[in-house]
Amino acid sequence: MGKEELLNRLKDLVVNGDEEGIREATKRALEAGIDPLEIINEGLKKGLDIVGEKYEKLELFLPDLVLAADTAYAALNIIIPKLSERAHEFRKGKVVIGTIYGDIHDIGKNIVASLLRANGYEVFDLGSDVEPRKFVEEAERVEADFIAISCLLSPSMFYMRDIIQRLVDMGIRDKYYVIVGGAAVYPEWAKEIGADGWAKDAEGAVKLCNLLKERGKEVEKPVLVGEWR
């Protein structure tokens, strides 16, 4: 089986929610010499994109989304240790991430965290239903570069503003790039609350962090990656 076939198989296994199959296929892909990041971005991520699109069209439902995410995690559990062996080659920065207070949804946030780790970031995951002060406290503790806030429920979005206001009140707003995302969060909201960036999806979050890390002082904020809806 060639490289393209292996990557397509990984994509299909995510869509079908086949955890056992994806473990075997991931090992085969690594043994075939395919770069771990390519396995993630061209295999797993494409499968998750398909599932996400079908979910938005009501062709799939939440259990299908959870199963696809669990399948992708099964593959990531094999891939991440391989990336860790060479992490020193491309360590980019530190990210504190969490789902905002009042929101317990964490599938999207977990995928973002995994892709960030896979792309060279050290990630400190606070979990879900996280109070604003905890984002700031953890960022200060680990000397983070980014604070990444996820939100699926619209009523919880307003707590995102509290994080940025707390940074302003403490006189440390310029120490961190604050990025936001999730199903409830739209570009204009990022602009309204004074965030540094917004991304539509997990791959976009990685691109956003890369851009801010490389050119953050030069670009106009907020930086928007992807198209709303």
Side-chain angles (χ1 to χ4, degrees):
M1 190 178 291
K3 175 179 172 180
E4 187 174 343
E5 290 176 298
L6 283 167
L7 292 173
N8 282 333
R9 175 158 174 73
L10 287 163
K11 176 190 69 178
D12 293 341
L13 288 166
V14 170
V15 174
N16 295 328
D18 186 345
E19 290 188 42
E20 183 176 349
I22 207 162
R23 291 190 185 96
E24 179 184 348
T26 300
K27 291 174 183 176
R28 288 187 64 184
L30 290 169
E31 289 168 359
I34 301 176
D35 185 272
L37 294 180
E38 193 167 7
I39 292 173
I40 293 171
N41 293 323
E42 299 301 319
L44 309 182
K45 179 61 174 57
K46 287 191 174 180
L48 290 169
D49 285 344
I50 291 171
V51 172
E53 290 170 5
K54 288 180 177 290
Y55 179 72
E56 289 181 1
K57 295 176 182 177
L58 300 181
E59 295 175 11
L60 294 176
F61 302 96
L62 187 57
D64 303 299
L65 201 62
V66 173
L67 184 57
D70 287 344
T71 303
Y73 295 154
L76 287 169
N77 286 337
I78 296 170
I79 297 168
I80 295 298
K82 298 295 182 183
L83 289 168
S84 298
E85 294 172 5
R86 47 181 267 209
H88 65 281
E89 299 176 13
F90 54 90
R91 182 64 67 195
K92 294 177 180 177
K94 297 179 181 180
V95 183
V96 168
I97 190 171
T99 304
I100 193 62
Y101 182 67
D103 192 338
I104 62 171
H105 298 87
D106 63 1
I107 295 173
K109 182 266 299 174
N110 290 344
I111 295 171
V112 171
S114 295
L115 278 186
L116 284 170
R117 287 190 180 103
N119 282 273
Y121 289 90
E122 187 175 1
V123 177
F124 299 85
D125 191 344
L126 298 175
S128 58
D129 192 21
V130 182
E131 295 179 11
R133 64 176 178 81
K134 290 185 178 179
F135 283 92
V136 178
E137 290 172 355
E138 184 71 357
E140 286 283 274
R141 186 185 73 81
V142 304
E143 299 182 341
D145 302 287
F146 298 88
I147 296 175
I149 318 165
S150 175
C151 182
L152 186 70
L153 301 177
S154 298
S156 292
M157 283 200 313
F158 298 95
Y159 293 108
M160 291 179 160
R161 190 199 303 271
D162 292 346
I163 295 172
I164 295 175
Q165 187 60 53
R166 181 175 289 264
L167 292 172
V168 171
D169 292 344
M170 293 173 65
I172 57 174
R173 175 64 184 90
D174 291 340
K175 285 180 65 175
Y176 306 103
Y177 292 119
V178 180
I179 63 174
V180 297
V185 187
Y186 47 93
E188 283 302 313
W189 178 249
K191 183 176 181 180
E192 182 177 333
I193 66 175
D196 295 297
W198 167 90
K200 175 178 172 57
D201 53 27
E203 187 176 7
V206 175
K207 291 178 181 177
L208 176 59
C209 287
N210 288 344
L211 177 58
L212 288 170
K213 188 66 177 173
E214 294 165 8
R215 299 182 52 221
K217 304 301 181 185
E218 307 167 16
V219 294
E220 184 179 351
K221 314 296 191 311
V223 177
L224 308 177
V225 179
E227 295 183 6
W228 174 244
R229 301 302 185 197

